[in-house]
Amino acid sequence: SNELETRFLPASVFQLVPNAVNSFKANFTPLGTPGTRKTHVHLVDVDTKQLVAAWILTCVAAPPQVTKDYDVDVRVGEAAHKKISYENPWNRRRGYQLMSSDPNVMRPKAKDLQIQPQGREFMRLYVAPLDRPGRVEVFLMVNDERGQVK
């Protein structure tokens, strides 16, 4: 599986308890094109290197709801930087996580954005150099503290 798309909690080695129900969380955040993805998950004993369990997670990824659209002109072979204003409409400080659908093309310079109540901050983006003329569509997801798309 793609480590950018699939994250686990706990994120490190953990101890299984014998004769009990053990659990972990898998968080799948699809990147790239919409469609069906299969992710293989293997639970391996770190001491013996033996496979304890294996699963195939099947996820259906739909494109995100687009709330704003921006065009960024980039010269072939040159990187670009874009600054986009984002507002917190709430009466309390909010934290947001920024994620690109294709980090090879465009990525936020900072993955986290903290905005004061009723405040405004800038999302700073890096657009990688393109090797040929054309149009590339990339989504920037803005998620709240619970991982919900805003």
Side-chain angles (χ1 to χ4, degrees):
S1 69
N2 181 339
E3 62 189 50
L4 295 175
E5 289 185 322
T6 309
R7 289 177 296 191
F8 297 97
L9 285 174
S12 60
V13 174
F14 59 94
Q15 183 81 32
L16 293 176
V17 178
N19 301 318
V21 175
N22 294 276
S23 65
F24 64 89
K25 284 186 178 181
N27 182 3
F28 182 75
T29 305
L31 300 175
T33 57
T36 301
R37 306 245 204 334
K38 292 184 185 266
T39 299
H40 297 260
V41 178
H42 294 157
L43 181 63
V44 177
D45 184 311
V46 295
D47 295 326
T48 65
K49 308 289 190 246
Q50 289 188 317
L51 182 66
V52 175
W55 301 270
I56 295 177
L57 303 179
T58 302
C59 303
V60 178
Q65 179 181 352
V66 176
T67 57
K68 292 185 182 179
D69 186 87
Y70 299 92
D71 286 329
V72 179
D73 291 326
V74 180
R75 291 183 182 184
V76 173
E78 293 182 19
H81 302 273
K82 178 76 174 170
K83 203 163 71 166
I84 299 173
S85 177
Y86 196 78
E87 186 175 314
N88 174 12
W90 303 97
N91 290 324
R92 67 176 184 83
R93 181 182 169 133
R94 298 288 299 257
Y96 299 95
Q97 296 173 334
L98 309 177
M99 186 182 317
S100 171
S101 65
D102 190 346
N104 294 322
V105 175
M106 182 273 301
R107 64 182 172 271
K109 290 184 180 180
K111 292 183 180 183
D112 296 309
L113 186 66
Q114 298 293 322
I115 307 178
Q116 296 299 325
Q118 307 292 317
R120 179 184 307 261
E121 290 291 336
F122 287 100
M123 299 180 289
R124 289 172 168 76
L125 307 175
Y126 169 78
V127 180
L130 300 175
D131 57 356
R132 64 180 182 270
R135 186 173 184 87
V136 178
E137 185 175 73
V138 181
F139 296 104
L140 176 67
M141 278 74 71
V142 180
N143 299 343
D144 66 11
E145 295 101 340
R146 295 173 296 171
Q148 300 297 310
V149 176
K150 290 285 143 200

